[in-house]
Amino acid sequence: MTLQEYFSTPETVLPQELIYGTMRVADSPTPVHQEAVGRLFLALHEHVSRRGLGTVWLAPLDVILDAERALVVQPDLFAILRGGAAIVADKVRGAPDLVIEVLSPFPRIGEVTERVGWFRDYGVRECWLVDQIDRRIDVLQFEDGQVRSEQAFGPDDPIESRVLPECRAITRDLCHLP
């Protein structure tokens, strides 16, 4: 499938992505997943907008990582900061500064390692993996197509982010961890 064919498909709220020319569609997420996404969005939107840092976006929204190779993803959440590489027009083109994926027991679209690899390779600066079962957020920082650092934050740990340096939210508050 080409990029043009993908964008000509009927609009849907179901997660769908174009992975190197193959469309992948998934079932809708669970309420627990969406509650975590909602909490994260509210906390990050407040932080980013109050400081005038940029914009936080919520799925489903297509992010074209590679137009030539037909790679379009829909991260759960992502932030594009002022001066970032991504361009927001009719679609989001290029790598967001921050991508957040709320993990599910059964991945909805693709494997986590595959997705993290795309984010790393295409210029995302930081990726948060929210694991509600293990009650943690893994923060991966990328630089020059490599993982620069990886840290895990538990429910009582303030998150440390290179992309959002003043964001020291508690993971319990963000992820509805018991």
Side-chain angles (χ1 to χ4, degrees):
M1 177 178 272
T2 67
L3 210 58
Q4 185 176 1
E5 291 169 332
Y6 175 76
F7 290 130
S8 296
T9 60
E11 189 172 319
T12 178
V13 294
L14 289 177
Q16 67 180 29
E17 298 180 329
L18 185 62
I19 309 304
Y20 301 118
T22 301
M23 187 163 71
R24 295 182 186 173
V25 180
D27 294 332
S28 65
T30 65
V32 172
H33 178 276
Q34 288 304 87
E35 183 175 1
V37 169
R39 283 175 176 265
L40 284 159
F41 176 78
L42 291 172
L44 291 171
H45 174 72
E46 170 73 16
H47 177 81
V48 170
S49 63
R50 176 181 288 165
R51 289 165 179 78
L53 300 175
T55 307
V56 178
W57 301 89
L58 185 63
L61 184 58
D62 291 320
V63 176
I64 304 168
L65 291 178
D66 190 330
E68 289 181 19
R69 296 184 66 202
L71 179 60
V72 181
V73 295
Q74 291 183 352
D76 288 321
L77 292 158
F78 59 94
I80 298 174
L81 304 180
R82 295 194 187 286
I87 298 169
V88 179
D90 61 325
K91 304 288 179 193
V92 176
R93 298 173 188 276
D97 297 287
L98 171 66
V99 167
I100 301 172
E101 293 282 3
V102 176
L103 305 180
S104 299
F106 305 102
R108 293 180 303 130
I109 298 180
E111 295 296 322
V112 173
T113 55
E114 176 183 49
R115 298 178 71 73
V116 168
W118 298 328
F119 301 147
R120 178 197 64 223
D121 294 346
Y122 285 97
V124 170
R125 294 172 47 206
E126 190 168 280
C127 176
W128 297 6
L129 301 174
V130 179
D131 188 329
Q132 293 180 292
I133 294 171
D134 289 340
R135 302 179 63 208
R136 74 170 193 269
I137 295 179
D138 294 330
V139 176
L140 303 140
Q141 296 174 348
F142 307 124
E143 192 173 291
D144 298 324
Q146 302 293 321
V147 176
R148 178 177 176 241
S149 71
E150 182 175 349
Q151 292 181 283
F153 298 94
D156 297 317
D157 301 328
I159 295 173
E160 295 177 22
S161 169
R162 184 173 58 129
V163 173
L164 300 175
E166 296 176 16
C167 181
R168 305 223 1 116
I170 303 297
T171 56
R172 176 183 292 122
D173 295 337
L174 290 178
C175 306
H176 189 63
L177 300 172

